[in-house]
Amino acid sequence: MGLKLIVLIKQVPDIAKVRFDVEKGRIDRSSAEAEINPFDLNALEAAVQVKEKVGGIVTAISMGPPQAVTSLKDAIARGADEAILLEDKVFAGADTWATSYTLSCAIRKVGDFDLIFCGEKTVDGDTGQVGAEVAEQLGIPHIYYVSKINDISQDKIKVMSEVDESSYLLESDFPLLVSVTKDVNKPRLPTLRDKLKAMKAEIKVWHANDLSDVINLANVGYFGSPTTVHKVVIPKEKERQGKTFKDVPGGVNFVLDALEAKKLI
Amino acid sequence: MTTSSEIKKKVIVFAEKRDDLIHPISFELLGKGREIADKLNAELSCVLLGYRVSREQAMELIYYGADQVFLYDNIVFKELNIIPYKHNIVQLVKREKPDIFLFGATHFGRSLAPRVAAALETGLTADCIDLQVDENGDLIQIRPAFTGNILAHIKTKTKPVMSTVRYKVMQMREKDQARKGQIINEATEVPNERGPRIIRKERQAEFNITEAKIIVSGGRGLGTSEGFKLLKELADLLGGVVGASRTPVDEGWIGKEHQVGFSGNTVKPKLYIACGISGSPQHLAGMKESETIIAINTDPSAPIHRTADYSIISDLYQVIPEMIKQIKARKVNRT
Ligand SMILES: Cc1cc2nc3c(=O)[nH]c(=O)nc-3n(C[C@H](O)[C@H](O)[C@H](O)COP(=O)(O)OP(=O)(O)OC[C@H]3O[C@@H](n4cnc5c(N)ncnc54)[C@H](O)[C@@H]3O)c2cc1C
Ligand SMILES: Nc1ncnc2c1ncn2[C@@H]1O[C@H](COP(=O)(O)O)[C@@H](O)[C@H]1O
């Protein structure tokens, strides 16, 4: 017994370090180290906590380039039992529809599952769409903006879901996809022992031909994507006054004069 | 025989009903939808799903720009249950074959729209801040990505072109009670698919930081939850509200409804005072559009100073009381 838990993880650049070229409108991904999307750490932690409570097995799945193996090893260090990377040139350039299609095919191939966890959004794509699109493609319900897991058993889950100015306490049977916010938990840090163990873990890599019985390749990657990025603009920062003060009463006085002139006070 | 030029293009807007009210984003979408429809010489419709919807409410959508309203009235829409909403919208799209379909990027919209898009096997662009029609008549969807660092211009090859649009960036039109339009009563299909069950619904605190004109925000530099009392005093004096970076929220010093930033609220007040906030990219993503920014931070190299109009490089526990004192003095002098 125990639950079959799947976590969807994306490798993203550390946003605090990425450099953006304003002139060329380019993102220099090599300028920053890659890491697990921060919100997906919450999704992983949620799955691991569920496993610790009612038993089960956690499978982390990611679609990405070969180097995303390191993020999946990190996921194992943080409590996932196994991990699968969907990696193929034909998967590259996917929008949310093609990404969710590819992920849902892989999930079908994995077979039976009870719960799928994903993050609220990625820090690069930043759409928050992949989860609900995966759920629709699998024909299962989803719950978004989950801020708390109130109860979990072998056949039911109760969660709090934040819908703008309301919160709902919801109950659902399985299968279900849950998208979590950062408030759902505090992700644990892996111990050195966990990290060493994870280094030796084998990450399954599935290429397009490994999915051939479940996938239609017309729907994957850049060519399978209904949307295309047709331009990227890196907005120039708004011009600011940039006046600096060290002297407190004088600085405050100057600032208040300025605010008064703008009729803000 | 019909040629493509004889078939009128269609734009549909999803009107979001919350309890008894239509969410204001619906009227903003109608404003933008009308502009797009006029450029494309298209028809603008609105779909409204709810329980016990009054005719007056449906008429409002016409006054704000819709040519017609597809109205679904059924108890399944009493609460925000994704599955019946999705099912009926998908059926409507299959029948009407719109070119463009817009949703509000509220939590509900962002949960519902991807399901609809996936069911229709069409593209969806998230959280748009602008929509433009180019010379080919294609919709250019403009959205921030990379934690607000870039703006991507996106086109969709499939139909309908679907987007969710951020709240408070589109202009609603003046209400025009002379506008005429059609209300079409639709029969609701109740799908067999199950969804989660609602056990309880709670309203969150009324506090809504996105409405505030003035925000006094605190970060880790406050040191303790006590610091927010001081900020509240200043905020009250200015007729504003208190905000926070993520750190004090994670520390439990203040509620998450106060959080500004990538994983909190996006705000655009007239005045934003950042106290003891370093100015991480995730925080800036939520407030850098503020009209005037004041930074109070002891560290001259803190990035927040680069985004500020006025920086006071000093201890906030000296600066804020001084501000309060001087504002009070000015008020006395004025009277
Ligand atoms: C996925 C993700 C999402 C995130 N979302 C958000 C978000 O929505 N909002 C957000 O804010 N952050 C967010 N963060 C966190 C963000 O990266 C920073 O950690 C956070 O913004 C730092 O908060 P801070 O500026 O209050 O603290 P710090 O960076 O620690 O800065 C504190 C500042 O206070 C100054 N200071 C100290 N004492 C005083 C004093 N007495 N007087 C004046 N100044 C003083 C210091 O010089 C320092 O600059 C997110 C992070 C991730 C990874
Ligand atoms: N390439 C991917 N591989 C695995 N999971 C993904 C991928 N892209 C998105 N996800 C999941 O979907 C969530 C929402 O992503 P997004 O729609 O890109 O903001 C993420 O937090 C992940 O859990």
Side-chain angles (χ1 to χ4, degrees):
Chain A
M1 276 302 273
L3 297 178
K4 292 219 164 120
L5 307 159
I6 289 174
V7 189
L8 301 180
I9 278 171
K10 188 179 179 193
Q11 189 179 55
V12 297
D14 176 350
I15 281 293
K17 301 207 181 96
V18 189
R19 279 195 301 269
F20 297 93
D21 184 335
V22 180
E23 298 307 319
K24 299 206 185 90
R26 246 190 260 147
I27 303 150
D28 178 12
R29 279 183 186 257
S30 67
S31 58
E33 262 170 57
E35 58 180 27
I36 296 181
N37 178 44
F39 295 102
D40 301 350
L41 291 178
N42 296 104
L44 176 60
E45 178 66 29
V48 173
Q49 285 185 15
V50 164
K51 175 180 82 172
E52 287 167 352
K53 219 159 179 186
V54 294
I57 158 161
V58 176
T59 305
I61 302 181
S62 185
M63 183 181 90
Q67 56 272 29
V69 160
T70 51
S71 285
L72 287 172
K73 291 210 164 168
D74 188 17
I76 288 187
R78 292 166 190 267
D81 299 290
E82 53 176 41
I84 305 167
L85 175 64
L86 313 177
E87 184 267 308
D88 200 298
K89 273 209 263 321
V90 299
F91 298 156
D95 73 353
T96 60
W97 190 83
T99 301
S100 60
Y101 175 76
T102 311
L103 289 170
S104 64
C105 291
I107 294 168
R108 280 217 183 83
K109 192 170 173 77
V110 167
D112 273 353
F113 62 88
D114 297 295
L115 277 169
I116 302 174
F117 288 92
C118 69
E120 177 183 338
K121 55 185 171 184
T122 49
V123 297
D124 53 355
D126 194 353
T127 79
Q129 289 175 180
V130 167
E133 295 196 355
V134 165
E136 178 62 29
Q137 310 220 25
L138 292 170
I140 63 168
H142 77 272
I143 305 178
Y144 256 33
Y145 303 107
V146 167
S147 59
K148 190 175 175 197
I149 295 176
N150 298 60
D151 202 11
I152 177 88
S153 69
Q154 289 295 328
D155 53 11
K156 268 191 200 58
I157 188 167
K158 271 193 204 163
V159 299
M160 286 307 289
S161 163
E162 314 289 331
V163 183
D164 302 306
E165 59 291 309
S166 303
S167 329
Y168 289 85
L169 177 62
L170 299 173
E171 181 185 65
S172 178
D173 310 325
F174 306 142
L176 173 75
L177 180 139
V178 167
S179 168
V180 300
T181 71
K182 53 124 179 141
D183 300 309
V184 76
N185 54 41
K186 279 204 170 43
R188 71 193 68 184
L189 291 171
T191 63
L192 188 61
R193 227 182 103 224
D194 295 332
K195 283 191 198 161
L196 290 173
K197 217 174 82 194
M199 293 220 319
K200 287 186 223 122
E202 187 216 342
I203 309 295
K204 285 183 205 155
V205 180
W206 287 357
H207 305 293
N209 60 3
D210 296 307
L211 291 167
S212 57
D213 49 335
V214 286
I215 208 161
N216 174 358
L217 291 178
N219 292 339
V220 306
Y222 179 80
F223 294 102
S225 295
T227 65
T228 45
V229 178
H230 129 97
K231 192 162 103 187
V232 166
V233 180
I234 296 166
K236 287 215 170 69
E237 300 281 315
K238 223 169 140 167
E239 286 284 321
R240 297 282 174 188
Q241 298 273 338
K243 287 213 161 57
T244 309
F245 308 93
K246 293 224 161 76
D247 156 43
V248 175
V252 166
N253 188 47
F254 187 97
V255 169
L256 293 182
D257 279 348
L259 297 186
E260 231 170 43
K262 293 184 185 185
K263 300 206 162 29
L264 285 168
I265 52 169
Chain B
M1 217 180 80
T2 53
T3 62
S4 62
S5 64
E6 288 168 43
I7 305 166
K8 206 160 168 122
K9 291 200 164 193
K10 291 182 186 175
V11 179
I12 304 186
V13 159
F14 172 68
E16 199 169 327
K17 197 161 172 282
R18 289 300 172 77
D19 302 320
D20 292 329
L21 295 175
I22 292 176
H23 194 291
I25 189 146
S26 314
F27 302 114
E28 295 177 1
L29 289 177
L30 282 169
K32 192 67 192 184
R34 187 73 261 165
E35 183 192 310
I36 294 168
D38 289 346
K39 273 198 195 131
L40 296 173
N41 189 25
E43 183 174 75
L44 177 65
S45 311
C46 197
V47 52
L48 175 60
L49 308 98
Y51 179 50
R52 295 196 168 140
V53 189
S54 68
R55 215 185 147 73
E56 290 76 61
Q57 261 180 337
M59 282 309 292
E60 289 276 297
L61 299 166
I62 291 171
Y63 299 154
Y64 281 99
D67 298 317
Q68 56 182 347
V69 177
F70 302 111
L71 180 62
Y72 294 77
D73 195 328
N74 192 288
I75 192 151
V76 293
F77 304 122
K78 186 163 181 278
E79 291 299 341
L80 301 173
N81 282 314
I82 299 279
I83 304 267
Y85 274 88
K86 175 207 82 182
H87 180 86
N88 286 279
I89 292 171
V90 167
Q91 297 309 315
L92 179 74
V93 170
K94 286 186 174 160
R95 188 189 80 201
E96 291 296 315
K97 304 191 173 55
D99 298 274
I100 295 172
F101 202 122
L102 307 179
F103 286 81
T106 57
H107 278 179
F108 184 58
R110 290 189 75 167
S111 182
L112 172 62
R115 265 214 95 113
V116 173
L120 293 167
E121 307 196 354
T122 193
L124 174 65
T125 305
D127 209 22
C128 297
I129 58 166
D130 199 7
L131 300 172
Q132 296 168 358
V133 177
D134 74 2
E135 60 284 359
N136 308 319
D138 292 337
L139 193 68
I140 309 279
Q141 305 158 90
I142 302 174
R143 64 173 305 259
F146 274 86
T147 312
N149 282 293
I150 70 161
L151 289 177
H153 291 222
I154 291 173
K155 277 197 191 185
T156 305
K157 297 182 239 174
T158 46
K159 287 279 155 68
V161 176
M162 286 183 57
S163 346
T164 63
V165 176
R166 197 178 274 185
Y167 186 28
K168 289 194 168 162
V169 297
M170 303 298 172
Q171 216 59 45
M172 65 172 86
R173 287 154 51 98
E174 198 89 28
K175 181 170 168 177
D176 176 3
Q177 303 218 37
R179 268 188 65 83
K180 297 269 177 299
Q182 216 185 345
I183 296 174
I184 301 161
N185 289 303
E186 299 284 347
T188 302
E189 284 181 28
V190 180
N192 293 327
E193 261 178 283
R194 324 149 295 113
R197 298 170 289 282
I198 297 170
I199 300 177
R200 197 172 69 230
K201 179 182 171 187
E202 293 164 10
R203 273 193 80 77
Q204 297 280 33
E206 287 298 301
F207 182 80
N208 188 347
I209 196 165
T210 62
E211 311 276 345
K213 298 261 185 297
I214 295 181
I215 299 173
V216 183
S217 246
R220 189 198 300 274
L222 285 183
T224 73
S225 63
E226 287 296 300
F228 279 105
K229 288 195 184 143
L230 187 61
L231 299 197
K232 178 87 169 54
E233 196 185 334
L234 177 61
D236 284 346
L237 201 56
L238 294 169
V241 302
V242 169
S245 70
R246 177 166 165 174
T247 316
V249 174
D250 287 351
E251 293 291 331
W253 298 348
I254 193 161
K256 62 177 182 235
E257 63 279 11
H258 292 266
Q259 188 189 317
V260 172
F262 185 65
S263 55
N265 297 284
T266 306
V267 299
K268 202 180 166 181
K270 290 200 177 308
L271 176 61
Y272 191 88
I273 309 184
C275 313
I277 292 176
S278 63
S280 66
Q282 294 90 353
H283 188 75
L284 294 177
M287 47 64 75
K288 67 179 173 211
E289 297 297 319
S290 304
E291 256 170 60
T292 300
I293 297 172
I294 301 177
I296 302 168
N297 192 314
T298 41
D299 176 6
S301 66
I304 189 75
H305 295 308
R306 275 181 259 138
T307 309
D309 294 287
Y310 308 101
S311 293
I312 304 181
I313 302 184
S314 192
D315 182 0
L316 70 97
Y317 285 102
Q318 285 172 11
V319 180
I320 308 282
E322 180 65 26
M323 278 184 116
I324 293 170
K325 195 178 95 190
Q326 289 196 24
I327 292 169
K328 282 184 176 161
R330 283 171 189 245
K331 286 196 170 166
V332 172
N333 286 345
R334 253 183 267 164
T335 51

